[in-house]
Amino acid sequence: MSYAASSAHRAATIAAIARTRAASPAPIPNADGRAALLQIAALLDAAADAFRASTPAVINGVTMDEIPADAWFALADAEKIAANTPAAGFPVTLGQYVTRRKSIDLPPSLLPGGPVLIAKEGDLFARLLALHARLGANGTDAVTTAALESAFALHWSHAKLAGSEAVAAARPANRPAVPAAVEIAAPATPMALRRAHEAHGPTLIYPLSHRRLPCHVSDQGVTHTAVRMVSHLGATIATCDDTTHRDAAAVAARELHDSLG
């Protein structure tokens, strides 16, 4: 089978996978995920049509493996949607499956905590690598279809594993502790602040002067004198010391902190 015909078949197969998943009665994927899957399917159909309509160049009797511009743009748009919609459970490297890349990238590791989740992700990656090797061979349409369906099911499992990791990480007991704040003198220059961070870590407290900033929680636009910078929170304002305003960051505090280094 020619490169164009094989790529068109792969694009059409992945489009069918996306539509099947979008039609799933399960609560996952959610509404955003379903809408994204249908958009991805339409773009993959466009890529398949572009491959079918292409006329690859022939050089010295050898037909070149070319990606038509319309297919390239459609695949790029589909990957952007996948990247922006984790609920779709589609790999952001879906174009590599269509264009028959020799070494298809694995999804980024979740760096899961605990031996059970590490083993689960390791198993998923091992199975994906085996399928990638099968897709790298010139198999029949039926073999390619089966391998793609299995690979995208594994990507879906990895996305759900990512969701379980995110839930676990959000539990109070699993949140990383904020480093203890280190009090320093007000840095005179961005370089001085950078050196203080290198010496003491990310959480610094230092006095501010001649800074007037609007209160973060006020909609009146009234400015107050910012007296202290707490690097992981922003600037605190002297008049913001009641329950509602305690440690409130000024609207411009984060930009101010970033501008200092």
Side-chain angles (χ1 to χ4, degrees):
M1 182 184 295
S2 70
Y3 175 80
S6 174
S7 297
H9 172 72
R10 289 170 179 239
T13 299
I14 299 172
I17 293 170
R19 289 195 174 90
T20 299
R21 187 175 300 173
S24 170
I28 299 174
N30 60 21
D32 288 341
R34 295 175 195 276
L37 287 166
L38 293 177
Q39 290 178 298
I40 288 171
L43 288 164
L44 286 165
D45 283 341
D49 289 341
F51 275 111
R52 294 188 190 102
S54 66
T55 305
V58 178
I59 301 177
N60 296 328
V62 178
T63 302
M64 298 292 102
D65 294 345
E66 296 178 345
I67 304 175
D70 288 346
W72 190 92
F73 286 119
L75 292 174
D77 287 343
E79 289 182 339
K80 288 178 183 176
I81 294 172
N84 292 330
T85 319
F90 250 50
V92 299
T93 54
L94 65 91
Q96 295 180 4
Y97 288 91
V98 173
T99 58
R100 293 176 56 177
R101 176 169 167 169
K102 291 183 179 179
S103 178
I104 300 173
D105 293 329
L106 291 173
S109 173
L110 304 173
L111 301 177
V116 174
L117 291 177
I118 290 173
K120 285 183 178 180
E121 185 179 61
D123 176 64
L124 288 172
F125 283 175
R127 293 160 67 188
L128 271 173
L129 286 171
L131 289 167
H132 291 172
R134 191 183 307 171
L135 287 166
N138 290 320
T140 64
D141 280 357
V143 169
T144 298
T145 297
L148 286 171
E149 289 174 345
S150 297
F152 277 73
L154 291 174
H155 279 290
W156 182 220
S157 296
H158 192 257
K160 289 189 284 187
L161 184 63
S164 68
E165 277 291 277
V167 169
R171 295 180 184 136
N174 293 333
R175 291 175 191 157
V178 176
V182 177
E183 185 103 23
I184 63 171
T189 65
M191 180 58 71
L193 178 58
R194 189 172 296 111
R195 286 174 178 165
H197 276 299
E198 291 172 354
H200 302 295
T203 310
L204 303 175
I205 297 177
Y206 51 90
L208 295 173
S209 60
H210 310 297
R211 299 281 186 181
R212 291 190 63 82
L213 300 169
C215 176
H216 177 64
V217 295
S218 171
D219 58 2
Q220 303 301 315
V222 178
T223 60
H224 306 278
T225 300
V227 292
R228 285 163 64 82
M229 174 66 78
V230 184
S231 61
H232 68 287
L233 294 176
T236 57
I237 297 172
T239 54
C240 297
D241 54 5
D242 60 26
T243 302
T244 304
H245 292 230
R246 185 174 298 140
D247 288 334
V251 172
R254 176 55 58 186
E255 294 179 3
L256 169 62
H257 176 66
D258 291 343
S259 73
L260 290 173

